Amino acid sequence: VASEHFWPKKKLECLSLNHADVVIVGSTKPDDVPVSWIKPGTTIISCSHDLLSGEVIVQDDVSILQSNMVKNTERWIQSQQYRKWDLRCLKLQLLSPVPSDIEISRAQSPKAVDVLAKEIGLLTDEVEIYGQTKAKVRLSLLERLKDQPDGKYVLVAGITPTPLGEGKSTVTIGLVQALTAHLNINSFACLRQPSQGPTFGVKGGAAGGGYAQVIPMEEFNLHLTGDIHAITAANNLLAAAIDARILHENTQSDKALYNRLVPVVNGVRGFSAIQLARLRRLGISKTDPGSLTEEEIHKFARLDIDPSTITWQRVVDTNDRFLRKITVGQANTEKGFVRQAQFDIAVASEIMAILALTTSLQDMKERLGKMVVANDKKGEPVTAEDLGVTGALAVLMKDAIKPTLMQTLEGTPVFVHAGPFANIAHGNSSVLADKIALKLVGEKGFVVTEAGFGADIGMEKFFNIKCRASGLIPSVVVLVATVRALKMHGGGPNVTAGAPLKKEYTEENLQLVADGCCNLQKQIQITQLFGVPVVVALNVFKTDSPAEIDLVCKIAKQSGAFDAVPCDHWSAGGRGAVKLAQAVEKAANQKNSFKYLYSLELPIVEKIRIIAQKVYGAQDIELSPAAQSQVDRYTRQGFGNLPICMAKTHLSLSHQPERKGVPTGFILPISDVRASIGAGFIYPLVGTMSTMPGLPTRPCFYDIDLDPITEQVKGLF
Amino acid sequence: VASEHFWPKKKLECLSLNHADVVIVGSTKPDDVPVSWIKPGTTIISCSHDLLSGEVIVQDDVSILQSNMVKNTERWIQSQQYRKWDLRCLKLQLLSPVPSDIEISRAQSPKAVDVLAKEIGLLTDEVEIYGQTKAKVRLSLLERLKDQPDGKYVLVAGITPTPLGEGKSTVTIGLVQALTAHLNINSFACLRQPSQGPTFGVKGGAAGGGYAQVIPMEEFNLHLTGDIHAITAANNLLAAAIDARILHENTQSDKALYNRLVPVVNGVRGFSAIQLARLRRLGISKTDPGSLTEEEIHKFARLDIDPSTITWQRVVDTNDRFLRKITVGQANTEKGFVRQAQFDIAVASEIMAILALTTSLQDMKERLGKMVVANDKKGEPVTAEDLGVTGALAVLMKDAIKPTLMQTLEGTPVFVHAGPFANIAHGNSSVLADKIALKLVGEKGFVVTEAGFGADIGMEKFFNIKCRASGLIPSVVVLVATVRALKMHGGGPNVTAGAPLKKEYTEENLQLVADGCCNLQKQIQITQLFGVPVVVALNVFKTDSPAEIDLVCKIAKQSGAFDAVPCDHWSAGGRGAVKLAQAVEKAANQKNSFKYLYSLELPIVEKIRIIAQKVYGAQDIELSPAAQSQVDRYTRQGFGNLPICMAKTHLSLSHQPERKGVPTGFILPISDVRASIGAGFIYPLVGTMSTMPGLPTRPCFYDIDLDPITEQVKGLF
């Protein structure tokens, strides 16, 4: 846009400068454009009047700049692509003892998210602000930066944990705080969005902890930008469509059904696009509704769903145990068609797994359409596409596909995006957030993401499922361990959430630590199967003795870790993870020979066996007859080439949670095999998996409150 | 903040100008502050250097201006309070025939919502942006503008409608487009947020229609800013808490229950705030958990809910007919405690009714706590507060309480906030949106809001329930009529959604019109009962003849309407409602003797009778024994002084949908009486009310699609 030297002020005013990312002023004084006309984050470029020699065409709300003006702009955009961030980090005021997470979060004033977005090189049009501290980032960025090399890709995984968790999220956040706020290296943390259910149940928040947190933690733990709500809406629309369709098919003739499915509207009768697609799948090439034969009408109009095969369940984002098994359809209006069903927690929806694995809007739409919800009475799969609901699901998910930008306690950027279950799904945050972050940090920067559960589950799935979907190659694995968990693996007493820790865990006990390091060693070996260097991060607690800490680090290095470093980020913020950050940076420059564990071409059972033997250390696997018949069915239906997503307890390398350390000689029992065809994996069940948590006698909502004057949230932890 | 004439540039840079609403520059050139440092919407005030004589203290991120600087700022803020908006209206490019709603919506580029917010006088800190076209407005505005007089308050109601609806939303939007874009008068439309369920079922969008719409219509009709999702989450947390509590009470001794409810944490045992409140309600003044007697422990720990009295249902925002009647708790983990329950559509939740009626965060929290979910075995009410969940519900609703700002097709402001059912609740949008809008438009401006269903239901509830809650006094009622609906009341054939209109409706028929005007006349009389002037808006269709239109307007005026005006906003935008706007402006200056229809002190049955006789024209009412026993129970429980919210069909003034015109001589049967104690009304059921819609054979999702390249939504209408 030319300045008032070129344009009368009146004419400038009529331009919608509020939509511009770049305003070019034909003057050496950028201030010639009155500030009230432009939005924040807009870049002003000054240039001499000569540069403005091209014709400037002004159309309604858009200004089109031609000739050398345009070239100049392109050059400028190019120059924006590679740069070290000029990030204003937030200072920590460390207190001892460390206050509660919500107190720490509230004591820090986050930067306005539009400022953060600008600092990390996002253009104004690539950001959708949600309040002061959250923003969604548009996927168009991937196109703009497609030629920019990716940064380094770091996975944080863990040893087999205690039920208390070993602090992987805290390490993830501490590491990026160290990299960016203390070592001045561009870095991004990519995290899962937590389910809201447990926030009000037992678990409390999941935004890291202590001085390594995402802030504001109450935003992180509550609705965020509505992605899980969108998943719930899409999931339940599909569920409602299944039952309603069965009812309508059961109560109507082919002709009535067809007349309703393809009605005359304003005198015209036509198939909708999604109906034409179904006709093509049925091998019917006709497009005139009047020309179908009775047999074709029958084929088109009847999905003939076998209700006993329905695998699609309804979801809520609430811990509601009474919905674990229910009977639906008992109102008179449903004419006696009752069936047993269940609700899962929303994050267990296949749509969540799809959100985490998808690479574009087009890809997401295809995956949504491919989701298999049941079989028909001939044993063929029935999909969301068959039900005509693909487009509606994509519409419901159109904003959820954009990652949400937040910040750490030290003001460094974080993406929060997708949070699939770590058992019946792959438990990793989204491919898209990682891809965008890898572009934003630039070649020398780091993206740190996290795998749920122990490395035997979360990391294995990260490599074999998520990296296969994304094509991304990890540079380093950070393996998180605690002295507490190692002592448990060495034979220490049970660790139970809620109960005080036994003295073995609060007093020095080098023997227990030494014995328990077998689990750490095994998890290091698992990482090495994939050819990626591993750095052990020992998450230090105040009861850990220096001798215990030294012992773990020594054994870790002897076991093949590139390095092993104690970390204090929980009590000291990024400063406490500087050594870890330095080790990770070095490791990222090591030779990397990343490879998948198995070929997709292998039969389903063979792939399961490879994981069980090579990763879990099982002697063999044993499929129940039901599992075997499912394997046969999926293979016959053409789904045999999908990767495997094991649903196994995370509390042991084996299927028996009480077997700590490195169990051997066990036969892994596969009780059932299911499939998430849209997400793109087969998931064998090792034992029963609960997909709906419950509320305890005293849920943590007893402590949660809102101050109506200050609007502050209290009691989240 | 002083300019660089006062401060070295370095020092200015360290200030977080991005957080400032007002930047004061000690120079006559506002441009002295570099534009890249400040956010959009910031006001720059220039002043001479002399004004900056006070001491300026710069602290971290905040600049505190003292002495005459501060006074100057205050004076400026004061001066901001009363002003005619300087609003850039969007031009319409009218097409004929009128394209589909989504096409019209998509053809218009909305203003950036931060620009709109600034135009209508919102300060930057009062606005939370959600993407480009939606923003939430903070309640703090009510405090800032508390001394400013309210604008005029206009209610749009309708005659008894056909099942197709008569266009109240369209009139509401057309009217504000006319007022602001054509008559240059500040005005605001306050609308209900539609349920997402019907968007994918039968109904399609609800953002007005034609050239009188809220844009972007797909945002309006989908997740918006997540308020309904927040309601769903809060509603279902409470539902889960009820069943879980019953289970835990059924399976534990008093002692075990008490130990879990009041656990020892880090060696300390204490009651949470909400538990202390419960103790006080039970008449126990102790605060040491160790000091309670066994009897007190029993009273405290057992809510003793009678499962057969549970009235709190789960909700989803999906048309899912199979959830109308279900059995829950059938998993083994629930130990045989099964019961019959149901899901309602989310907007039927009492929390939605509360959102619409609340006046502040404190008030909302109190209402949430007061919600009665069941009775105990002694017949006493059990509340959300008793379950310990009040604070958590308030936390889940903390953002939903802020109205969402959008715009009409012509760029004038709209609040979208709350959308309670119009039968089991009061069917009006929120009190808070109206209150904020009344301040923003200023004394000479207009706020136009809408009542669901016909005036006999929606308007009656608006006056007796909503106006009572808000204390606001309406200036004018706009009564919407169509020739089509009047013909139906005059004896025309049935009108059915989906089926083509019979010829009586597409050809001139003055007799049918004249006969049907009885319904219009009756609705005018109902309005007059409340002492508010009424303007009839005849929503014109292209098949209406000039003679028909004249006849309706003539009869309306003869029946006591202040004026009656045909409107063409659907095809012509605000220009088509200019005459209506002029009539409304005149009517607003008429004498207004607003009064409620009944006193709250009257017995419940008496209040029901007054509504039935004076509004519906019933001869009398008749309560079923169940209804009578509920009335007795609520009266005994102390809820007798609440207003009445009738749950009656909207398709007739009577309880029988097929009785059109003005039915007389009927006895209104009250089959049951229920209560929403938190929302604050008793709702008698006249017949059965469905609270969960279903999906038809061909739901409209067949037409809905997302273009993965342009990201445009297709097929919403």
Side-chain angles (χ1 to χ4, degrees):
Chain A
V1 171
S3 81
E4 53 189 312
H5 296 280
F6 267 69
W7 296 96
K9 193 158 175 149
K10 196 70 206 155
K11 201 147 189 182
L12 252 183
E13 247 171 338
C14 78
L15 292 173
S16 192
L17 295 188
N18 248 298
H19 289 290
D21 273 325
V22 183
V23 172
I24 301 172
V25 184
S27 145
T28 48
K29 289 176 59 202
D31 301 347
D32 280 342
V33 181
V35 285
S36 58
W37 295 358
I38 57 169
K39 66 185 165 184
T42 308
T43 302
I44 313 275
I45 306 180
S46 302
C47 58
S48 74
H49 290 189
D50 321 338
L51 257 174
L52 291 173
S53 56
E55 197 188 355
V56 179
I57 302 169
V58 178
Q59 293 186 329
D60 197 359
D61 270 4
V62 188
S63 68
I64 298 178
L65 308 165
Q66 288 192 334
S67 95
N68 52 1
M69 253 314 254
V70 173
K71 287 190 205 113
N72 195 43
T73 312
E74 278 172 1
R75 232 175 298 142
W76 174 82
I77 288 176
Q78 201 67 27
S79 76
Q80 284 297 94
Q81 297 191 359
Y82 308 85
R83 63 179 179 103
K84 188 146 220 163
W85 298 340
D86 185 15
L87 201 83
R88 184 175 70 92
C89 293
L90 306 178
K91 290 214 183 73
L92 294 180
Q93 297 192 300
L94 302 174
L95 297 178
S96 178
V98 175
S100 74
D101 290 354
I102 184 84
E103 285 170 303
I104 292 175
S105 171
R106 229 165 40 201
Q108 187 72 299
S109 290
K111 286 184 279 196
V113 72
D114 52 344
V115 173
L116 174 65
K118 197 182 167 193
E119 287 175 342
I120 60 172
L122 286 161
L123 304 183
T124 314
D125 270 2
E126 290 166 350
V127 181
E128 294 173 1
I129 306 294
Y130 278 65
Q132 304 299 307
T133 56
K134 300 170 289 183
K136 282 198 166 283
V137 173
R138 296 212 179 124
L139 307 188
S140 59
L141 178 138
L142 286 173
E143 178 58 26
R144 174 173 67 95
L145 297 183
K146 65 176 187 297
D147 299 325
Q148 168 147 347
D150 284 348
K152 310 286 187 187
Y153 194 31
V154 178
L155 177 72
V156 175
I159 64 168
T160 303
T162 70
L164 309 179
E166 308 320 306
K168 290 193 302 292
S169 302
T170 316
V171 169
T172 304
I173 298 163
L175 178 53
V176 294
Q177 289 181 192
L179 282 164
T180 301
H182 298 268
L183 299 178
N184 199 21
I185 296 171
N186 289 359
S187 80
F188 232 111
C190 291
L191 299 178
R192 289 171 289 172
Q193 179 184 359
S195 166
Q196 207 170 245
T199 304
F200 296 99
V202 188
K203 201 182 151 216
Y211 287 102
Q213 279 194 57
V214 180
I215 57 170
M217 74 92 84
E218 64 270 34
E219 298 297 325
F220 181 90
N221 282 296
L222 297 172
H223 309 290
L224 202 70
T225 49
D227 296 352
I228 295 182
H229 295 321
I231 289 166
T232 303
N235 183 99
N236 290 348
L237 177 60
L238 179 52
I242 296 167
D243 279 317
R245 180 62 176 249
I246 294 173
L247 175 75
H248 292 306
E249 288 192 24
N250 280 348
T251 53
Q252 293 178 47
S253 69
D254 284 3
K255 186 161 171 264
L257 209 51
Y258 187 63
N259 285 343
R260 287 204 173 87
L261 284 169
V262 194
V264 179
V265 179
N266 299 328
V268 184
R269 189 175 192 189
F271 293 110
S272 70
I274 200 160
Q275 290 177 327
L276 287 171
R278 175 166 163 79
L279 284 172
R280 283 193 297 275
R281 281 199 307 286
L282 294 171
I284 303 168
S285 58
K286 299 176 182 174
T287 56
D288 171 12
S291 67
L292 266 62
T293 66
E294 274 189 22
E295 197 197 326
E296 287 168 338
I297 286 174
H298 179 85
K299 272 168 77 178
F300 170 80
R302 295 210 173 266
L303 300 183
D304 239 355
I305 292 171
D306 175 354
S308 72
T309 66
I310 296 174
T311 49
W312 195 261
Q313 306 297 351
R314 292 167 175 87
V315 300
V316 282
D317 195 18
T318 309
N319 286 12
D320 194 347
R321 49 191 298 161
F322 276 75
L323 299 180
R324 284 171 183 161
K325 197 194 259 187
I326 62 173
T327 300
V328 300
Q330 295 177 316
N332 290 336
T333 48
E334 277 54 71
K335 300 170 186 169
F337 174 69
V338 299
R339 68 177 185 93
Q340 209 154 64
Q342 72 191 56
F343 274 72
D344 295 334
I345 187 110
V347 291
S349 170
E350 181 175 350
I351 298 179
M352 175 59 98
I354 289 178
L355 180 66
L357 290 172
T358 192
T359 51
S360 69
L361 210 46
Q362 174 67 37
D363 173 73
M364 181 175 75
K365 202 171 128 179
E366 284 166 15
R367 287 172 181 266
L368 290 170
K370 281 197 293 194
M371 294 186 302
V372 173
V373 299
N375 290 319
D376 65 17
K377 286 170 186 156
K378 291 184 189 134
E380 294 304 313
V382 177
T383 64
E385 178 81 7
D386 290 324
L387 284 153
V389 74
T390 309
L393 300 182
V395 166
L396 283 166
M397 291 293 293
K398 77 183 173 61
D399 293 314
I401 199 174
K402 303 167 199 162
T404 297
L405 177 66
M406 293 187 75
Q407 65 196 286
T408 66
L409 260 188
E410 300 191 47
T412 75
V414 174
F415 273 142
V416 187
H417 201 214
F421 251 37
N423 45 33
I424 63 160
H426 58 296
N428 308 127
S429 62
S430 86
V431 163
L432 279 167
D434 292 356
K435 287 199 160 194
I436 292 175
L438 285 164
K439 294 299 180 195
L440 285 170
V441 296
E443 195 169 7
K444 299 202 165 136
F446 283 80
V447 171
V448 184
T449 187
E450 185 191 334
F453 291 178
D456 54 312
I457 307 181
M459 182 185 72
E460 183 272 310
K461 294 178 185 179
F462 177 85
F463 288 145
N464 284 318
I465 299 175
K466 186 177 172 186
C467 287
R468 242 190 262 256
S470 68
L472 296 171
I473 292 174
S475 315
V476 181
V477 168
V478 173
L479 194 64
V480 179
T482 58
V483 166
R484 175 173 76 197
L486 292 171
K487 284 176 171 174
M488 178 190 73
H489 289 299
N494 270 349
V495 175
T496 317
L501 280 173
K502 300 262 164 57
K503 76 169 174 13
E504 284 82 350
Y505 295 104
T506 54
E507 294 170 7
E508 180 175 287
N509 190 328
L510 291 168
Q511 191 58 49
L512 279 181
V513 173
D515 291 349
C517 275
C518 58
N519 186 275
L520 174 61
Q521 199 164 22
K522 169 71 179 167
Q523 301 280 15
I524 291 171
Q525 287 160 3
I526 296 171
T527 312
Q528 289 172 329
L529 284 178
F530 294 89
V532 182
V534 52
V535 173
V536 170
L538 184 67
N539 206 3
V540 172
F541 286 70
K542 64 170 184 268
T543 49
D544 300 346
S545 79
E548 287 174 334
I549 293 168
D550 288 348
L551 181 62
V552 177
C553 292
K554 199 182 89 191
I555 297 178
K557 283 184 259 189
Q558 284 169 351
S559 309
F562 174 79
D563 203 347
V565 191
C567 310
D568 294 303
H569 45 269
W570 185 78
S571 56
R575 209 185 61 210
V578 164
K579 285 196 182 131
L580 174 65
Q582 287 164 334
V584 166
E585 201 194 1
K586 271 194 205 144
N589 292 318
Q590 295 300 297
K591 189 170 127 313
N592 183 321
S593 48
F594 175 66
K595 54 183 180 294
Y596 303 126
L597 188 67
Y598 53 80
S599 155
L600 292 182
E601 312 303 315
L602 293 172
I604 292 174
V605 171
E606 202 44 47
K607 288 183 276 198
I608 299 174
R609 184 173 286 117
I610 289 173
I611 296 171
Q613 292 179 331
K614 292 205 181 166
V615 178
Y616 306 157
Q619 194 180 320
D620 202 353
I621 60 172
E622 186 170 51
L623 271 71
S624 72
Q628 186 59 57
S629 112
Q630 285 292 83
V631 167
D632 296 343
R633 181 197 294 268
Y634 291 133
T635 307
R636 185 173 49 74
Q637 290 180 341
F639 303 134
N641 287 348
L642 293 174
I644 303 299
C645 184
M646 299 296 289
K648 179 184 80 72
T649 177
H650 59 299
L651 297 172
S652 169
L653 282 158
S654 77
H655 56 288
Q656 293 156 306
E658 65 284 2
R659 293 186 70 181
K660 303 301 181 187
V662 182
T664 52
F666 59 93
I667 308 284
L668 194 78
I670 310 295
S671 57
D672 201 356
V673 175
R674 299 188 192 154
S676 288
I677 301 301
F681 52 71
I682 303 284
Y683 62 100
L685 297 185
V686 184
T688 52
M689 290 293 142
S690 170
T691 47
M692 175 55 89
L695 290 175
T697 304
R698 185 189 189 284
C700 49
F701 61 62
Y702 270 90
D703 300 309
I704 297 174
D705 202 1
L706 183 73
D707 184 316
I709 306 303
T710 62
E711 298 186 25
Q712 280 186 336
V713 174
K714 294 184 284 191
L716 278 180
F717 60 97
Chain B
V1 172
S3 82
E4 53 188 314
H5 296 281
F6 268 69
W7 296 96
K9 192 157 177 152
K10 196 70 205 156
K11 201 148 189 181
L12 251 181
E13 246 172 337
C14 77
L15 291 174
S16 192
L17 293 188
N18 249 296
H19 289 290
D21 273 326
V22 184
V23 172
I24 301 171
V25 184
S27 145
T28 48
K29 291 174 59 199
D31 301 348
D32 279 343
V33 181
V35 285
S36 58
W37 296 357
I38 58 167
K39 65 185 166 182
T42 307
T43 302
I44 314 276
I45 306 179
S46 303
C47 58
S48 74
H49 290 190
D50 320 335
L51 257 174
L52 291 173
S53 58
E55 197 189 354
V56 179
I57 304 170
V58 178
Q59 295 186 328
D60 197 20
D61 271 4
V62 188
S63 69
I64 298 176
L65 307 165
Q66 288 193 333
S67 91
N68 52 1
M69 254 315 251
V70 174
K71 287 191 204 108
N72 195 42
T73 311
E74 277 172 0
R75 232 175 299 142
W76 173 83
I77 289 176
Q78 202 65 28
S79 73
Q80 284 296 93
Q81 297 191 359
Y82 307 85
R83 64 182 177 100
K84 188 146 224 162
W85 298 339
D86 184 15
L87 202 82
R88 184 174 71 91
C89 292
L90 305 177
K91 290 216 180 71
L92 294 180
Q93 296 192 301
L94 301 175
L95 297 177
S96 179
V98 175
S100 74
D101 290 352
I102 184 85
E103 285 169 304
I104 293 175
S105 170
R106 230 163 39 200
Q108 187 72 299
S109 289
K111 287 184 278 196
V113 71
D114 51 345
V115 173
L116 174 65
K118 197 183 167 190
E119 287 176 341
I120 60 174
L122 285 161
L123 305 183
T124 313
D125 271 2
E126 290 166 350
V127 181
E128 295 173 2
I129 306 295
Y130 279 64
Q132 305 298 308
T133 55
K134 301 170 288 182
K136 281 196 166 284
V137 174
R138 296 214 178 122
L139 307 188
S140 60
L141 178 138
L142 286 173
E143 178 58 27
R144 173 171 69 93
L145 298 183
K146 66 175 188 297
D147 299 326
Q148 168 146 348
D150 285 348
K152 310 285 188 189
Y153 194 31
V154 178
L155 178 73
V156 176
I159 65 167
T160 303
T162 70
L164 310 179
E166 308 320 306
K168 289 191 304 291
S169 302
T170 318
V171 169
T172 304
I173 298 163
L175 178 53
V176 293
Q177 289 181 190
L179 282 165
T180 301
H182 299 269
L183 299 178
N184 198 21
I185 296 170
N186 289 1
S187 79
F188 232 110
C190 291
L191 299 178
R192 288 170 289 172
Q193 179 184 358
S195 168
Q196 207 171 244
T199 304
F200 296 99
V202 189
K203 201 183 151 214
Y211 288 102
Q213 278 193 58
V214 181
I215 56 170
M217 74 91 85
E218 64 270 35
E219 298 297 325
F220 181 90
N221 282 296
L222 296 171
H223 309 290
L224 203 67
T225 47
D227 295 352
I228 295 181
H229 295 320
I231 288 166
T232 303
N235 183 97
N236 290 348
L237 177 61
L238 179 52
I242 296 167
D243 278 318
R245 180 62 176 249
I246 294 173
L247 175 75
H248 292 306
E249 287 193 22
N250 280 348
T251 54
Q252 294 177 46
S253 68
D254 284 3
K255 187 162 171 262
L257 209 50
Y258 187 63
N259 285 344
R260 286 203 174 86
L261 284 169
V262 193
V264 179
V265 179
N266 298 330
V268 185
R269 190 174 192 190
F271 293 109
S272 70
I274 201 161
Q275 290 178 325
L276 287 171
R278 173 164 165 79
L279 284 173
R280 283 193 295 275
R281 283 198 306 286
L282 295 172
I284 303 168
S285 58
K286 299 174 182 174
T287 56
D288 171 12
S291 68
L292 265 63
T293 64
E294 275 190 21
E295 197 197 324
E296 286 167 340
I297 286 175
H298 178 85
K299 272 168 78 178
F300 170 79
R302 295 211 172 267
L303 300 183
D304 241 353
I305 292 171
D306 175 355
S308 72
T309 65
I310 296 174
T311 48
W312 194 261
Q313 306 297 352
R314 292 166 175 86
V315 300
V316 283
D317 195 18
T318 310
N319 285 12
D320 194 347
R321 50 191 297 160
F322 276 74
L323 298 181
R324 283 172 183 161
K325 195 195 260 188
I326 63 173
T327 300
V328 300
Q330 294 177 313
N332 289 337
T333 48
E334 277 53 73
K335 300 169 185 170
F337 173 69
V338 300
R339 69 178 185 91
Q340 210 155 62
Q342 72 191 57
F343 274 72
D344 295 334
I345 188 110
V347 291
S349 170
E350 181 176 349
I351 299 179
M352 175 60 97
I354 289 178
L355 181 66
L357 290 172
T358 192
T359 51
S360 69
L361 209 46
Q362 174 67 37
D363 174 73
M364 181 174 74
K365 201 171 129 180
E366 283 166 15
R367 287 172 180 267
L368 291 170
K370 281 197 294 194
M371 295 186 302
V372 173
V373 299
N375 291 320
D376 65 18
K377 287 172 186 155
K378 290 185 191 135
E380 294 304 312
V382 177
T383 63
E385 178 81 6
D386 290 323
L387 284 152
V389 76
T390 309
L393 300 182
V395 165
L396 283 166
M397 292 292 293
K398 77 184 174 61
D399 293 315
I401 198 173
K402 303 166 199 162
T404 296
L405 177 67
M406 292 188 75
Q407 64 195 285
T408 66
L409 260 187
E410 299 192 47
T412 74
V414 175
F415 273 140
V416 187
H417 202 215
F421 252 36
N423 45 32
I424 63 159
H426 59 295
N428 309 126
S429 61
S430 85
V431 163
L432 278 167
D434 291 356
K435 287 198 160 196
I436 293 175
L438 285 165
K439 293 298 179 195
L440 285 171
V441 296
E443 195 169 6
K444 300 205 163 135
F446 284 80
V447 171
V448 184
T449 188
E450 184 191 334
F453 291 177
D456 54 314
I457 307 182
M459 184 185 71
E460 182 272 310
K461 294 178 184 179
F462 178 85
F463 288 145
N464 284 317
I465 299 175
K466 186 177 171 186
C467 288
R468 241 189 264 256
S470 68
L472 296 171
I473 292 173
S475 315
V476 181
V477 168
V478 173
L479 194 63
V480 179
T482 58
V483 166
R484 175 173 76 198
L486 291 172
K487 284 176 171 174
M488 178 188 75
H489 289 299
N494 269 350
V495 175
T496 317
L501 279 173
K502 300 260 163 58
K503 75 166 173 15
E504 285 82 350
Y505 295 104
T506 53
E507 293 170 6
E508 181 176 286
N509 189 326
L510 291 168
Q511 192 56 51
L512 279 182
V513 174
D515 291 348
C517 275
C518 59
N519 186 275
L520 175 60
Q521 198 164 25
K522 168 71 179 167
Q523 301 279 16
I524 292 171
Q525 287 160 3
I526 295 171
T527 312
Q528 290 172 329
L529 284 178
F530 294 90
V532 183
V534 54
V535 174
V536 171
L538 185 67
N539 206 2
V540 171
F541 287 69
K542 62 171 186 269
T543 49
D544 300 346
S545 79
E548 288 175 331
I549 293 168
D550 289 347
L551 181 61
V552 176
C553 292
K554 198 182 88 190
I555 296 177
K557 283 184 264 190
Q558 285 169 351
S559 309
F562 174 78
D563 203 348
V565 191
C567 310
D568 293 303
H569 45 270
W570 184 78
S571 55
R575 210 186 59 211
V578 163
K579 285 197 181 129
L580 174 65
Q582 288 164 332
V584 167
E585 201 195 1
K586 270 194 207 143
N589 293 318
Q590 295 300 298
K591 190 170 123 325
N592 183 319
S593 48
F594 175 65
K595 55 183 178 293
Y596 304 126
L597 188 66
Y598 53 80
S599 154
L600 293 182
E601 310 304 315
L602 293 173
I604 291 173
V605 172
E606 203 43 49
K607 288 183 276 197
I608 300 174
R609 183 173 288 118
I610 289 174
I611 296 170
Q613 291 179 333
K614 293 205 180 167
V615 178
Y616 306 157
Q619 193 180 321
D620 203 353
I621 60 173
E622 187 170 53
L623 273 71
S624 73
Q628 186 59 57
S629 112
Q630 285 292 85
V631 167
D632 296 343
R633 180 195 296 268
Y634 291 133
T635 307
R636 186 171 48 74
Q637 291 180 340
F639 304 135
N641 286 349
L642 292 173
I644 303 299
C645 183
M646 299 297 288
K648 179 184 80 72
T649 178
H650 59 299
L651 296 172
S652 169
L653 281 159
S654 77
H655 56 288
Q656 293 156 306
E658 66 284 2
R659 294 187 69 179
K660 304 299 182 189
V662 182
T664 51
F666 58 94
I667 308 285
L668 194 78
I670 310 296
S671 57
D672 201 357
V673 175
R674 297 187 194 154
S676 288
I677 301 301
F681 52 72
I682 301 285
Y683 63 100
L685 297 185
V686 184
T688 52
M689 290 294 140
S690 169
T691 47
M692 175 54 90
L695 290 174
T697 303
R698 186 189 188 285
C700 49
F701 61 61
Y702 271 90
D703 300 309
I704 296 175
D705 202 1
L706 183 72
D707 184 315
I709 307 302
T710 62
E711 299 185 23
Q712 278 186 337
V713 174
K714 294 186 283 194
L716 277 181
F717 60 97

